[in-house]
């Protein structure tokens, strides 16, 4: 064009090709890797001045302000206004581009020519700039108003949706409460008036309905976050079977008729495991089924679902034999608020599906032959892929873990493993310190040594599980937190002690990297049941005030609580609740947030002031539990600021409700810590000569433990641990001499216990055998029979140090 139709004095093909190359990431943005997309905003602002104002102004200046290039520069300005709607950025980018162009021409030619410059260019250019900014700004304001309206309405809509869900949940829980337990065999079933088959069906319906409501509530939260540009909650990402969830979705979808169900076919289902949220994944499948079934009236219509596996990614295909989608629409259908080929849609479904799958590290794309079929291909990362590992690290980054061990070498090893997984962690040296830290912080996992000074691990965990010395919200939390015992004790003894105090699992020292991975998989990334407690006795006889403007909610919740032996009072708003508190005694208040006359927030503040009461004196201490459909962080913060003790999101499920009430009603929260006494083995009292011979036959070092340490952290970690052990043990032996000289039995017992633990963890096998032998005496309050025990200890220590030194020299060479 510039050569033949509108010839210009200056042309530069090389510059055009460079500009075209710079624009390629813009053109292929949809196909960029995820990591590259993360850096695209930086590339956007770096390349934009070069692509628009620099190029067009450079060509205009080189052509001495010709009319053709002056008009082209104005066209570039309009494109810039369309791409960037912030007027400050538009002005800044334009000035930067013009300055760069002016400097480039000046550098090349030594001057800038104004041969064809017309004064009219200036007001025309300014008019185009200002007018374009104003027009685009108004357009953006209208768009933002639409989004803001949707976001503000979404909270209200979500709240109104949760209220009926809450009513249904309460209804099912109350029905379940008055039904006998689901029988496990026909003999048990004969004791009930209901038939065996009927009873099973009733319970199964309730359980399936509860799952559906939980799923619905989660979808509300996720769509709400999506509309408000928040990220999807990944806390519920677990390991799942694709085949099982596909069948769950197919069988539980709400078909209009039995004939619709027959249209869905499993073509080839090759099972694979993926990492994600099962409810969100099922919702994605529901959405794709709903979209496909829209065309069910077409001749020969059917839906085929198939899967296939790959090395890094696995694939799932949902194909329908509907009218197909034009090639030009295949990418746009995933845009928010865009819909094609259907009436009544809002354009949010497929965009939300894509958002979910991208949060899982995967994606979705559409293939179609217009007039024949459409298929959606879901791509999910393999469970053992780096993508999933990165997702797990992202989740674990927000986990807080407590390591409790009196041996620094053991803590050092665990901290190394946890750092590899990006976890936050704190360390405690004994059970007493651990309880104090747990009272201040919320830990998601605890590694607890068994035998420690001050307070052993058994007693510390028994105290946490019994809710003593913890405020109620922390007590609820620590009923469910997994606790992993770490010990050098024989496994049968360790398992017995862990079961008695409430630990979930036991790891043998030294802990290895695969042990940590197994613990994370079991307690963070798999479907596991929570700790079950008998709570009926704890809440029986309590009086509970239910405050909710929804009468159905109050009635059903009252049925549930009365089944557990509670008595209830009811109020339809905050003002009525305050009046009832002055008339009757209650132990706890369950308060809805959104009510007429006086809402829950205002009511809580008024109750805490006490100004409305003359008879009721417990206004400052009575627990107030907020019940609301608004589960965002700001709502939780405002409820706490108003004086409420805890916040439960609607719909509230029976188990969560009963657990919360149980903890808040505990009367012995400030009681003494219960110390569990575990009987020790009988002290070993063989003939000293016989034991010394046995000791001499023991290996000085345990190579398997040392190799494990070497494998875990390399030579550097092994070097630091062994040097630390040798230095600490020298100090311990000196303190043991002082304890023996003064007869300090308490110090002697603590020191020898410490030596036993550190020796076992570091692979000092002979020292461990000797320290355990001496510890058998110290636990029974006696001194070893061999009066030369300190000399034997020193001799064994010297042999151990010599062996460690040789090992370190070998590794260094």
């Amino acid at each position: 064009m510039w050569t033949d139709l509108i010839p210009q004095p200056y042309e530069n093909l090389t510059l055009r090709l460079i500009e075209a190359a710079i624009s390629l990431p813009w053109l292929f943005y949809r196909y960029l890797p995820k990591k590259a997309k993360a850096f695209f905003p930086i590339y956007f602002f770096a390349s934009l001045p070069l692509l628009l104002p620099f190029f067009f102004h450079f060509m205009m200046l080189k052509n001495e302000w010709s009319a053709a290039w002056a008009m082209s520069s104005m066209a570039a300005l309009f494109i810039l206004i369309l791409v960037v709607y912030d007027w400050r950025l538009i002005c800044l980018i334009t000035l930067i581009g013009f300055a760069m162009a002016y400097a480039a021409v000046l550098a090349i030619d030594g001057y800038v020519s104004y041969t064809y410059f017309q004064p009219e260019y200036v007001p025309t250019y300014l008019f185009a700039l200002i007018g374009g900014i104003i027009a685009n700004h108004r357009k953006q304001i209208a768009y933002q108003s639409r989004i803001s309206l949707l976001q503000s309405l979404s909270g209200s809509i979500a709240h109104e949706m949760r209220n009926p869900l809450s009513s249904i949940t309460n209804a099912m829980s109350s029905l379940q409460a008055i039904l006998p337990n689901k029988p496990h065999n026909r003999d048990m079933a004969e004791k009930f008036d209901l038939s065996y088959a009927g009873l099973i069906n009733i319970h199964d319906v309730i359980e399936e309905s509860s799952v559906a409501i939980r799923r619905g509530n989660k979808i509300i939260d996720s769509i709400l976050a999506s509309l408000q540009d928040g990220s999807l909650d990944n806390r519920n990402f677990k390991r799942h079977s694709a085949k099982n969830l596909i069948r769950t979705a197919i069988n539980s979808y709400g078909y209009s008729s039995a004939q619709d169900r027959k249209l869905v076919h499993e073509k080839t289902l090759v099972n694979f495991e993926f990492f994600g949220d099962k409810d969100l994944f099922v919702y994605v499948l529901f959405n794709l089924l709903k979209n496909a079934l829209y065309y069910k009236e077409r001749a020969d219509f059917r839906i085929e679902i198939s899967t296939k596996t790959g090395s890094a990614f696995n694939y799932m295909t949902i194909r329908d034999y509907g009218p197909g989608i034009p090639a030009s629409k295949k990418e746009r259908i995933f845009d928010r608020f865009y819909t094609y080929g259907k009436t009544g849609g809002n354009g949010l479904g497929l965009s939300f599906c894509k958002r979910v799958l991208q949060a899982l590290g995967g994606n979705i794309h559409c293939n179609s032959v217009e007039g024949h079929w459409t298929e959606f291909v879901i791509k999910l990362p393999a469970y053992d892929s780096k993508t999933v590992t990165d997702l797990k690290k992202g989740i674990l980054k927000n986990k807080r873990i407590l390591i409790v061990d009196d041996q620094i070498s053991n803590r050092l090893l665990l901290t190394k493993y946890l750092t590899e997984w990006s976890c936050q962690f704190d360390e405690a040296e004994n059970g007493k310190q651990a309880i104090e830290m747990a009272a201040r912080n919320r830990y998601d996992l605890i590694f607890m040594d068994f035998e420690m000074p001050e307070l052993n691990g058994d007693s510390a965990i028994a105290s946490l599980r019994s809710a003593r010395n913890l405020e109620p919200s922390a007590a609820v939390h620590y009923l469910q937190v997994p606790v992993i015992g770490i010990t050098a004790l024989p496994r049968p003894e360790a398992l017995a002690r862990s079961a008695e105090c409430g630990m979930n699992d036991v790891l043998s020292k030294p802990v290895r990297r695969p042990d940590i991975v197994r613990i994370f998989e079991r307690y963070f990334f798999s479907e596991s049941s929570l700790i079950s407690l008998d709570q009926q006795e704890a809440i029986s006889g309590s009086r509970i005030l239910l405050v909710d403007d929804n009468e159905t909610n109050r009635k059903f919740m009252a049925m549930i609580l009365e089944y557990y032996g509670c008595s209830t009072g009811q109020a339809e708003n905050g003002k009525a609740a305050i009046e009832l508190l002055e008339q009757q005694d209650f132990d706890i208040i369950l308060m809805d947030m959104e009510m007429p006359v006086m809402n829950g927030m205002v009511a809580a503040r008024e109750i805490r002031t006490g100004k409305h009461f003359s008879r009721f004196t417990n206004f400052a201490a009575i627990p107030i539990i907020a019940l609301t459909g608004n589960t965002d962080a700001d709502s939780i913060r405002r409820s706490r600021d108003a004086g409420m003790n805890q916040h439960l999101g609607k719909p509230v499920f029976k188990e969560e409700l009963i657990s919360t009430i149980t903890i808040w009603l505990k009367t012995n929260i400030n009681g003494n810590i219960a110390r569990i006494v575990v009987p020790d083995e009988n002290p070993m009292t063989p003939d000293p000569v016989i034991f010394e011979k046995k000791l001499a036959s023991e290996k000085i070092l345990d190579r398997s433990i040392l190799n494990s340490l070497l494998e875990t952290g390399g030579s550097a970690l092994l070097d630091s641990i062994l040097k630390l052990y040798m230095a600490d043990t020298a100090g311990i032996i000196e303190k043991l001499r002082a304890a023996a000289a003064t007869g300090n039995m308490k110090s002697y017992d603590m020191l020898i216990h410490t030596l036993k633990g550190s020796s076992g963890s570091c692979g000092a096998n002979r020292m461990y055998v000797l320290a355990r032998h001496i510890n058998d005496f110290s636990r029974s309050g006696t001194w070893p029979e061999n009066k030369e025990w300190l000399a034997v200890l020193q001799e064994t220590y010297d042999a151990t140090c010599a062996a460690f030194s040789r090992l370190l020299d070998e590794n260094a060479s």
Side-chain angles (χ1 to χ4, degrees):
M1 185 189 335
W2 298 116
T3 301
D4 299 325
L5 298 180
I6 316 173
Q8 297 294 302
Y10 177 81
E11 184 51 62
N12 191 327
L13 179 61
T14 302
L15 179 61
R16 288 184 181 276
L17 293 174
I18 292 171
E19 293 280 334
I22 292 172
S23 72
L24 288 177
W26 292 54
L27 183 63
F28 296 107
Y29 173 78
R30 290 182 181 273
Y31 309 102
L32 292 178
K34 189 175 181 180
K35 288 186 178 179
K37 285 183 178 178
F39 292 101
F40 187 81
I42 299 171
Y43 185 83
F44 176 92
F45 285 107
S47 61
L48 190 57
L50 292 171
L51 288 172
L52 288 174
F54 168 78
F55 173 77
F56 285 92
H57 286 132
F58 177 83
M59 296 300 288
M60 180 183 72
L61 294 175
K62 288 291 289 182
N63 284 285
E64 303 177 358
W65 293 82
S66 69
W69 278 107
M71 294 174 65
S72 295
S73 297
M74 199 173 299
L77 177 63
F78 281 119
I79 296 173
L80 179 64
I81 291 170
L82 290 174
V83 173
V84 181
Y85 64 86
D86 187 293
W87 67 270
R88 290 163 295 192
L89 281 176
I90 293 169
C91 294
L92 179 64
I93 291 170
T94 302
L95 285 173
I96 291 172
F98 182 81
M100 291 168 61
Y102 196 94
V105 173
L106 197 61
I108 294 169
D109 298 337
Y111 65 93
V112 176
S113 175
Y114 294 82
T115 304
Y116 304 110
F117 176 78
Q118 299 293 328
E120 292 85 354
Y121 288 168
V122 176
T124 306
Y125 195 88
L126 289 175
F127 177 78
L129 175 65
I130 296 169
I133 288 173
I134 291 173
N136 197 47
H137 181 68
R138 292 183 66 181
K139 178 184 174 183
Q140 290 297 328
I141 289 294
Y143 177 77
Q144 289 298 328
S145 298
R146 179 187 177 194
I147 295 297
S148 298
L149 179 61
L150 280 170
Q151 290 176 342
S152 61
L153 285 175
S154 63
S156 301
I157 293 168
H159 181 268
E160 294 307 316
M161 289 175 69
R162 285 195 183 100
N163 277 329
L165 282 177
S166 185
S167 298
I168 297 168
T169 303
N170 291 335
M172 290 192 302
S173 296
S174 62
L175 178 60
Q176 204 166 25
I178 61 175
L179 284 172
N181 290 331
K182 182 176 178 178
H184 299 290
N185 56 57
R186 292 188 178 275
D187 293 335
M188 290 173 60
E190 290 173 358
K191 298 178 182 179
F192 304 121
D193 294 331
L194 294 172
S195 70
Y196 173 68
L199 189 59
I200 289 289
N201 288 338
I202 291 171
H203 277 285
D204 286 348
V205 166
I206 291 174
E207 288 168 9
E208 289 177 11
S209 301
S210 297
V211 168
I213 291 174
R214 288 178 193 271
R215 182 183 299 134
N217 198 49
K218 187 182 294 182
I219 299 306
I220 290 172
D221 288 336
S222 300
I223 294 177
L224 185 61
S226 179
L227 279 172
Q228 296 177 344
D229 294 323
S231 58
L232 292 178
D233 187 356
N234 61 9
R235 289 175 296 176
N236 292 313
F237 281 20
K238 308 287 184 186
R239 184 174 192 157
H240 297 293
S241 161
K243 189 174 183 178
N244 289 346
L245 286 190
I246 289 171
R247 286 181 172 165
T248 296
I250 292 173
N251 294 327
S252 59
Y253 179 79
Y255 299 99
S256 301
S257 67
Q259 293 302 316
D260 288 359
R261 170 64 183 85
K262 294 177 181 179
L263 296 173
V264 182
H265 303 275
E266 298 176 14
K267 190 176 180 183
T268 306
L269 290 188
V270 180
N271 194 32
F272 60 83
E273 292 183 319
F274 73 95
F275 186 64
D277 187 306
K278 67 177 182 181
D279 294 323
L280 293 178
F281 185 76
V282 168
Y283 173 81
V284 168
L285 298 182
F286 279 179
N287 196 277
L288 296 176
L289 286 173
K290 182 193 74 172
N291 287 346
L293 287 167
Y294 184 86
Y295 303 105
K296 64 185 179 181
E297 302 303 329
R298 282 177 60 93
D300 300 323
F301 178 85
R302 66 187 184 281
I303 299 171
E304 295 175 348
I305 301 179
S306 59
T307 60
K308 68 176 182 178
T309 57
S311 55
F313 289 91
N314 300 309
Y315 300 88
M316 180 184 309
T317 303
I318 296 93
R319 173 181 286 200
D320 70 80
Y321 289 85
I325 299 172
S328 60
K329 308 293 184 184
K330 286 193 295 185
E331 288 299 328
R332 289 200 64 193
I333 58 174
F334 295 107
D335 292 342
R336 193 160 59 164
F337 304 120
Y338 180 83
T339 185
Y340 172 79
K342 298 192 297 293
T343 57
N346 54 30
L348 288 175
L350 286 176
S351 68
F352 184 69
C353 290
K354 190 178 185 75
R355 185 183 178 91
V356 168
L357 293 167
Q358 287 177 338
L360 271 57
N363 213 327
I364 182 172
H365 70 269
C366 175
N367 298 321
S368 183
V369 174
E370 197 169 0
H372 296 280
W373 53 263
T374 300
E375 67 178 20
F376 289 92
V377 181
I378 294 172
K379 181 172 109 174
L380 292 169
Y383 190 80
D384 57 355
S385 65
K386 184 181 182 300
T387 303
V388 169
T389 300
D390 290 342
L391 283 173
K392 290 178 180 178
K393 286 183 178 180
I395 295 170
L396 290 171
K397 184 170 61 177
N398 297 314
K399 300 292 185 184
R400 196 164 185 176
I401 297 174
L402 179 61
I403 304 168
V404 190
D405 198 312
D406 58 325
Q407 302 297 321
I408 189 172
S409 58
N410 293 330
R411 299 201 304 272
L412 183 64
L413 197 59
L414 280 168
T415 57
K416 177 176 176 56
Y417 295 144
L418 298 182
T419 301
E420 290 172 357
W421 283 95
S422 307
C423 301
Q424 303 176 56
F425 56 82
D426 293 325
E427 301 176 54
E429 297 180 358
N430 55 62
K432 182 179 178 182
Q433 192 179 89
I435 291 174
E436 292 170 355
M437 294 174 72
R440 296 193 302 268
N441 305 301
R442 298 290 185 272
Y443 294 104
D444 302 291
L445 177 68
I446 299 174
F447 289 104
M448 179 72 71
D449 188 23
F450 277 77
E451 297 184 334
M452 295 176 291
E454 297 263 0
L455 185 68
N456 66 26
D458 313 52
S459 302
I461 296 308
S463 176
L464 282 177
R465 296 302 198 204
S466 64
R468 292 183 175 91
N469 294 337
L470 291 174
E471 57 97 4
S473 62
V476 172
H477 177 77
Y478 285 112
L479 284 177
Q480 302 174 355
V481 166
V483 178
I484 313 303
I486 47 176
T487 181
L489 292 170
R491 189 162 180 79
E493 180 183 345
L495 289 173
R497 288 175 63 170
S498 69
E500 187 173 354
C501 69
M503 292 183 182
N504 301 78
D505 216 326
V506 173
L507 297 179
S508 298
K509 294 181 181 180
V511 178
R512 295 170 172 80
R513 184 180 280 106
D515 295 332
I516 300 299
V517 174
R518 179 175 63 82
I519 292 300
F520 285 165
E521 285 295 323
R522 180 172 181 181
Y523 295 102
F524 288 152
F525 303 133
S526 65
E527 297 281 311
S528 57
S529 58
L530 300 178
I531 300 165
S532 60
L533 298 172
D534 183 7
Q535 299 155 329
Q536 184 168 349
E537 187 176 343
I539 71 170
S540 180
S542 59
R543 285 191 51 78
I544 300 175
L545 176 58
L546 306 174
V547 189
D548 196 318
D549 60 317
N550 188 312
E551 184 180 2
T552 304
N553 275 355
R554 297 199 309 270
K555 284 182 177 180
F556 282 134
M557 198 168 288
M559 289 175 65
I560 298 167
L561 295 172
E562 286 166 8
Y563 172 77
Y564 283 94
C566 306
S567 57
T568 61
Q570 299 183 28
E572 68 269 14
N573 57 59
K575 185 173 183 295
I578 291 172
E579 293 171 356
L580 199 56
L581 284 169
E582 179 64 7
Q583 299 166 13
Q584 302 178 33
D585 290 324
F586 293 98
D587 301 304
I588 193 168
I589 303 170
L590 302 180
M591 178 89 73
D592 185 32
M593 298 281 271
E594 302 293 335
M595 296 178 291
V597 184
M598 182 185 289
N599 67 32
M601 205 86 75
V602 175
R605 289 196 187 95
E606 293 297 307
I607 290 170
R608 293 305 187 207
T609 64
K611 64 184 180 182
H612 301 281
F613 309 117
S614 57
R615 185 202 67 84
F616 179 58
T617 58
N618 196 34
F619 53 84
I622 187 169
I624 305 176
I625 310 300
L627 305 177
T628 175
N630 296 322
T631 56
D632 57 283
D634 185 58
S635 296
I636 295 172
R637 179 188 56 77
R638 288 189 293 110
S639 69
R640 295 287 174 88
D641 292 344
M644 296 182 171
N645 300 85
Q646 195 162 336
H647 185 284
L648 296 179
K650 289 182 178 180
V652 183
F653 293 91
K654 181 181 67 176
E655 295 80 7
E656 183 183 19
L657 178 67
I658 300 302
S659 293
T660 302
I661 293 174
T662 299
I663 292 300
W664 284 100
L665 291 178
K666 282 184 178 290
T667 57
N668 60 345
I669 288 172
N670 296 318
N672 295 323
I673 295 174
R675 183 177 180 85
I676 293 180
V677 179
V678 179
D680 294 325
E681 296 175 355
N682 293 327
M684 295 171 59
T685 56
D687 182 276
V689 176
I690 295 174
F691 177 75
E692 286 181 31
K693 287 181 179 179
K694 179 180 180 298
L695 182 66
S697 67
E698 288 285 349
K699 295 180 297 183
I700 296 177
L701 304 182
D702 187 332
R703 287 281 179 169
S704 65
I705 292 176
L706 292 166
N707 288 338
S708 176
L709 293 173
L710 186 63
E711 179 188 347
T712 298
S715 298
L717 178 66
L718 184 65
D719 185 84
S720 62
I721 288 178
L722 297 188
K723 286 179 178 177
L724 181 65
Y725 168 79
M726 289 188 283
D728 284 353
T729 302
I732 289 172
I733 291 174
E734 288 304 313
K735 291 176 182 177
L736 281 170
R737 285 197 178 94
T742 58
N744 188 336
M745 184 64 68
K746 183 178 179 181
S747 177
Y748 151 68
D749 181 48
M750 184 183 71
L751 288 166
I752 205 65
H753 161 73
T754 301
L755 181 58
K756 180 186 72 172
S758 62
S759 299
S761 300
C762 294
N765 179 65
R766 189 178 291 180
M767 279 292 288
Y768 172 74
V769 172
L770 177 58
R772 182 165 185 177
H773 174 71
I774 298 171
N775 194 212
D776 287 334
F777 289 97
S778 70
R779 287 188 296 180
S780 63
T782 61
W783 300 93
E785 291 185 354
N786 185 348
K787 295 180 181 179
E788 301 300 322
W789 65 277
L790 278 168
V792 175
L793 187 64
Q794 182 68 53
E795 181 184 338
T796 306
Y797 168 69
D798 292 340
T800 301
C801 287
F804 276 158
S805 297
R806 287 193 298 272
L807 178 64
L808 292 174
D809 289 341
E810 290 171 11
N811 288 333
S813 60

